[in-house]
Amino acid sequence: METGRFYGVGEPLIQRQRDQGIDAPAYLDLVKGLGCNAFRSWMHLTEILKSPTEADPEAVALHTRLLDRAVELDIEVTGMSHEWFLPEGCRQKSGHAMPARDLTEGSLYIQALHMLEQSWCTMAGLFPQVKIWEIGNEWNLDAFLHPDGFLDSDMSHPFTADEKMDIAVDMMYFAARGVRRVNPDAKVASFSPALSTPGLGGDMPDYLPVMFGVAWTLDKIYSRIRSGEFWSTDPDDYFDLVAWHPYVFTNKDVPDADLFMDVDEPDQLWKSYNDAAYKVMKKYGDGHKQVLLTETGFTDCGNEEWEKRYAGYNKKLLSIARTLPYVRTLHNFRLLNENAMLKRAGIEDNQIGGLTEVYFGIFTDPEDGCQPRARARAIQEMTGSTADLTKLGQEISRRYISIS
């Protein structure tokens, strides 16, 4: 694949168009203004398709406008979905759930895998503009991969860490097969592991920093593939690129502390998290593959001092990542704050992660003028872009206000 796509950004723009009334393609101008030429777009199977074989024309039209604008701006898109369909007989019709693993022909589990393959075949055929498909998200966490009906129960019986990885390897194989059936030129990225803690569904020893969970998870994936007990012993049959989420967390020993709050400066330890994951790739003969750091960023929770501090942290993180020869793209999470949208809807307190989730934005909310925050200036300094981000944000915000 081509190189030179290091600087990226992620944002569920189509979701925001539906929820907030923005004109999603216009916001790619902010991505370009930052000097970024890669974009991670939320493209859930269950929101774009009515079934594994049938598309939703309205959803396809929305995403097509966004993707066509990306092509015009020479922005490479990685499309990501972390939801899928389930067969009749399951308690759910879709979501982050799977039936119990049962390889008997005709089982609900096998039906779900075939539905996943067909869904990805349909999806990849609809959007040839997408160069990379990230076929899953944080499947090492219970929130993103759990038993059918888990969320409607008392959630006391999740999959074990090993059960999740058995299922994840199956799902990657069938998803990749679906993409390649219709678009062999598209590249498939692995699901993106994140931190590992027992409370979130991991089994890494709790005396290790949580971000070593990426390497821990990758070793589970590769060992299964190479075992001969799954669908193929060749990692190429599961993914072309490897993705993970190397967030920066606090290592402060504070009881019940939110890992995203008052975080530590990225340093050799952050580099070691990533190098450890890459060493796993090399251990299993996959050291030639490129890596997508599909989510990493900083939330300041509306604290102005933290906002300034984390802008410096973001620059240092980018500087370190630039020295890692295996990294193809780093997607900064995320383009826009969510505070104005959530306040208007009256659901801010119910947002996953609370204020930590609301204030990851590089720019303010459209209602707040899409103004560049401190991290926007830091990223632009790294990319060398000379775009007037203040003016650009004002123009896009005015368009939003006139529409709404």
Side-chain angles (χ1 to χ4, degrees):
M1 296 185 67
E2 63 173 295
T3 56
R5 298 282 180 176
F6 176 76
Y7 294 103
V9 181
E11 178 68 35
L13 283 175
I14 298 301
Q15 177 184 321
R16 294 192 72 135
Q17 179 162 338
R18 287 171 162 162
D19 294 346
Q20 199 171 2
I22 69 168
D23 182 25
Y27 288 74
L28 291 179
D29 290 352
L30 293 178
V31 175
K32 196 69 173 180
L34 283 168
C36 298
N37 55 11
F39 181 71
R40 181 174 181 250
S41 189
W42 278 239
M43 301 179 68
H44 298 314
L45 296 170
T46 56
E47 294 178 4
I48 296 174
L49 307 179
K50 294 182 177 181
S51 74
T53 58
E54 182 183 3
D56 181 326
E58 179 183 349
V60 171
L62 290 175
H63 283 276
T64 296
R65 285 187 66 239
L66 181 69
L67 296 172
D68 287 347
R69 180 59 178 157
V71 172
E72 291 174 3
L73 294 173
D74 189 29
I75 295 174
E76 179 181 82
V77 173
T78 293
M80 180 275 296
S81 172
H82 56 68
E83 295 190 4
W84 52 89
F85 296 100
L86 293 173
E88 292 292 332
C90 290
R91 293 175 62 180
Q92 300 174 219
K93 292 184 178 180
S94 63
H96 306 108
M98 283 291 283
R101 190 170 189 260
D102 176 1
L103 299 183
T104 305
E105 187 60 37
S107 70
L108 289 176
Y109 184 77
I110 290 295
Q111 290 181 51
L113 291 179
H114 286 308
M115 291 175 72
L116 185 69
E117 177 180 353
Q118 181 57 55
S119 297
W120 276 111
C121 182
T122 304
M123 179 79 101
L126 290 168
F127 303 110
Q129 308 96 319
V130 175
K131 302 302 182 185
I132 302 171
W133 289 107
E134 182 188 353
I135 52 179
N137 182 73
E138 297 185 351
W139 287 344
N140 60 321
L141 306 184
D142 290 340
F144 289 98
L145 182 57
H146 46 248
D148 175 36
F150 178 71
L151 296 181
D152 295 328
S153 68
D154 61 5
M155 296 188 287
S156 61
H157 295 91
F159 290 129
T160 67
D162 282 326
E163 286 172 336
K164 286 197 290 288
M165 289 307 96
D166 287 345
I167 294 169
V169 170
D170 292 342
M171 292 176 71
M172 285 191 292
Y173 178 81
F174 279 84
R177 197 163 70 172
V179 170
R180 291 164 179 165
R181 271 171 49 192
V182 70
N183 188 357
D185 293 330
K187 301 300 180 184
V188 175
S190 69
F191 90 84
S192 42
L195 76 163
S196 179
T197 69
L200 294 174
D203 64 351
M204 186 180 72
D206 57 12
Y207 51 78
L208 294 175
V210 295
M211 279 312 304
F212 280 117
V214 170
W216 184 267
T217 301
L218 286 179
D219 194 78
K220 287 175 175 284
I221 293 167
Y222 276 108
S223 65
R224 282 164 169 74
I225 292 172
R226 294 298 194 192
S227 71
E229 298 176 1
F230 286 76
W231 308 93
S232 167
T233 59
D234 186 350
D236 291 354
D237 290 331
Y238 299 81
F239 44 79
D240 302 299
L241 304 99
V242 182
W244 64 75
H245 291 174
Y247 279 102
V248 180
F249 294 114
T250 182
N251 288 303
K252 297 177 176 67
D253 188 14
V254 180
D256 301 319
D258 188 316
L259 292 170
F260 282 112
M261 296 182 71
D262 198 12
V263 301
D264 300 312
E265 184 173 358
D267 54 16
Q268 181 61 40
L269 181 58
W270 186 82
K271 180 178 182 295
S272 294
Y273 299 152
N274 293 285
D275 284 345
Y278 180 62
K279 287 176 182 177
V280 173
M281 294 171 59
K282 289 197 297 182
K283 170 184 173 182
Y284 291 98
D286 240 5
H288 60 286
K289 287 184 178 173
Q290 295 178 322
V291 170
L292 304 177
L293 305 182
T294 37
E295 276 186 28
T296 187
F298 299 86
T299 176
D300 53 70
C301 299
N303 182 314
E304 292 184 4
E305 191 279 324
W306 286 5
E307 180 185 352
K308 181 178 178 180
R309 184 198 309 173
Y310 297 157
Y313 286 9
N314 212 145
K315 285 175 62 178
K316 186 166 184 181
L317 181 148
L318 289 168
S319 296
I320 295 171
R322 288 285 328 203
T323 70
L324 306 179
Y326 48 86
V327 174
R328 171 185 172 78
T329 305
L330 184 150
H331 287 285
N332 292 276
F333 184 86
R334 53 190 287 190
L335 186 65
L336 301 168
N337 271 356
E338 282 196 318
N339 53 308
M341 177 179 69
L342 293 172
K343 286 177 181 177
R344 185 179 63 186
I347 58 173
E348 182 172 3
D349 291 340
N350 295 325
Q351 171 67 9
I352 296 174
L355 287 179
T356 58
E357 188 77 13
V358 171
Y359 284 96
F360 273 101
I362 298 167
F363 291 84
T364 64
D365 232 281
E367 289 96 333
D368 295 334
C370 284
Q371 288 305 285
R373 307 183 74 226
R375 287 179 57 221
R377 302 294 187 193
I379 293 169
Q380 186 181 40
E381 185 177 333
M382 296 295 296
T383 67
S385 169
T386 59
D388 187 334
L389 297 181
T390 298
K391 182 178 179 181
L392 191 59
Q394 289 172 342
E395 291 174 349
I396 292 173
S397 180
R398 277 197 295 268
R399 290 173 59 183
Y400 164 69
I401 292 170
S402 66
I403 293 172
S404 58

